[in-house]
């Protein structure tokens, strides 16, 4: 009986030892998991910090690019239907391509999608009405289609509008209708949304003549520059 009790005590002791070792392994495992979670958290923090730094750097580069366009346009003609929109779209949706970003911007602000057809938004129609005062008279249906197709127009190798010799400084966009109207609507809205700031944009027709100026989301008369001295 005594031996039986001794063996029972030994089994209990062994069982307690096994449980203690098991608890120790579980504790070590929990500690390992906690350390791993901490490392993952620190890694996520570093990644988030790096992403923030990259975003800040990208924002600074976009600001510098815009400032460069502003400064250069004060001393020379910059004729480019793409550069300004490309910069603004990176501010609007930096995670999207130019094509997707412009499509989203146009659909959000400049078009009204109805059950039967797509038309210009109220803003787009207002801009078209103002442009008629300056000789741009494309039909709204054509302008609407041009807006939907604008990325293809500004992605062509020749996306620089013809400029007459009477323009000496300024950022210039435009072309034949309805391209000129579509560009005017987009850039005016970009100015209104503050994606394009402190930069007046000259709008030229198919002959390269400046008809009006896109300024802070409004359309104003172009005042002829004096002829620069020789």
């Amino acid at each position: 009986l005594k031996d039986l009790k001794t063996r029972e005590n030994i089994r209990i002791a062994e069982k307690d030892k096994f449980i203690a070792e098991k608890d120790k392994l579980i504790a070590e495992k929990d500690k390992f998991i906690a350390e791993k979670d901490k490392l993952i958290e620190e890694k996520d923090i570093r990644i988030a910090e790096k992403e923030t730094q990259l975003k800040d750097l990208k924002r600074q580069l976009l600001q510098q690019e815009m400032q460069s366009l502003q400064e250069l346009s004060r001393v020379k003609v910059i004729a480019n239907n793409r550069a300004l929109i490309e910069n603004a779209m990176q501010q609007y949706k930096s995670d999207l391509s130019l094509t997707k970003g412009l499509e989203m911007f146009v659909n959000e602000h400049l078009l009204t999608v109805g059950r039967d057809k797509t038309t210009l938004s109220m803003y787009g129609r207002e801009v078209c009405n103002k442009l008629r005062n300056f000789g741009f008279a494309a039909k709204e249906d054509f302008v609407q289609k041009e807006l939907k197709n604008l990325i293809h127009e500004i992605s062509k190798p020749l996306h620089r509008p013809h400029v007459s010799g009477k323009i000496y400084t300024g950022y210039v966009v435009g072309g034949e209708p309805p391209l000129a109207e579509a560009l005017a609507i987009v850039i005016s809205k970009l100015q209104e949304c503050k994606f394009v700031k402190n930069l007046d944009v000259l709008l030229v027709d198919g002959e390269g003549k400046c008809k009006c100026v896109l300024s802070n989301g409004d359309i104003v008369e172009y005042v002829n520059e004096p002829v620069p001295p020789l």
Side-chain angles (χ1 to χ4, degrees):
L1 183 63
K2 185 178 180 181
D3 290 342
L4 182 64
K5 190 173 181 181
T6 301
R7 288 197 296 272
E8 181 66 22
N9 288 336
I10 291 172
R11 283 198 300 270
I12 292 172
E14 288 176 345
K15 183 179 179 182
D16 289 343
K17 182 180 178 182
F18 173 78
I19 291 171
E21 289 176 349
K22 184 179 178 182
D23 289 342
K24 183 180 178 182
L25 287 172
I26 291 172
E28 289 176 350
K29 182 181 178 182
D30 290 341
K31 182 181 178 182
F32 173 77
I33 291 172
E35 290 174 349
K36 184 179 179 183
D37 289 342
K38 185 180 178 181
L39 288 172
I40 291 172
E41 184 179 351
E42 290 174 350
K43 182 181 179 182
D44 289 342
I45 290 172
R46 288 196 299 272
I47 291 172
E49 289 175 347
K50 188 173 182 180
E51 288 177 347
T52 299
Q53 291 172 356
L54 287 172
K55 286 180 180 178
D56 289 341
L57 179 59
K58 193 170 186 178
R59 185 162 50 247
Q60 290 172 16
L61 289 172
L62 288 170
Q63 289 173 351
Q64 290 174 5
E65 182 182 305
M66 185 65 73
Q67 288 173 0
S68 177
L69 292 175
Q70 293 166 350
E71 292 168 3
L72 286 172
S73 68
R74 295 190 187 106
V75 296
K76 61 184 288 189
V77 170
I78 301 177
N80 194 312
N81 286 338
R82 180 186 173 101
L84 202 58
I85 293 175
E86 191 167 22
N87 181 287
M89 286 302 102
Q90 283 297 302
Q91 299 175 58
Y92 170 64
K93 291 290 181 184
S94 61
D95 57 329
L96 297 180
S97 65
L98 174 59
T99 299
K100 291 295 183 182
L102 183 56
E103 180 183 358
M104 182 177 290
F105 184 82
V106 167
N107 288 334
E108 181 179 353
H109 296 287
L110 308 176
L111 296 178
T112 300
V113 180
R115 181 177 298 177
D116 299 323
K117 59 187 262 185
T118 299
T119 59
L120 287 179
S121 66
M122 181 66 73
Y123 181 85
R125 293 200 298 273
E126 288 175 356
V127 173
C128 279
N129 286 333
K130 291 178 182 179
L131 289 172
R132 290 189 183 96
N133 296 326
F134 300 98
F136 295 97
K139 292 182 178 180
E140 290 185 5
D141 283 348
F142 294 155
V143 177
Q144 174 264 131
K145 290 175 182 175
E146 191 73 2
L147 275 172
K148 293 181 72 173
N149 193 50
L150 187 59
I151 185 62
H152 301 294
E153 291 298 325
I154 66 174
S155 297
K156 291 179 178 178
L158 296 176
H159 52 263
R160 290 170 173 78
H162 168 64
V163 179
S164 75
K166 294 182 180 180
I167 300 174
Y168 307 107
T169 62
Y171 191 96
V172 181
V173 301
E176 296 287 350
L179 175 59
E181 286 90 338
L183 288 165
I185 292 171
V186 170
I187 292 173
S188 292
K189 193 64 181 180
L190 289 172
Q191 290 175 333
E192 185 181 270
C193 294
K194 305 303 180 185
F195 294 120
V196 174
K197 295 183 286 187
N198 305 318
L199 180 62
D200 288 346
V201 178
L202 311 186
L203 184 66
V204 297
D205 61 14
E207 296 179 355
K209 297 177 181 177
C210 186
K211 296 293 188 177
C212 56
V213 181
L214 313 176
S215 180
N216 295 319
D218 198 7
I219 299 171
V220 298
E221 185 178 358
Y222 172 68
V223 179
N224 288 327
E225 294 181 77
V227 177
L230 297 175

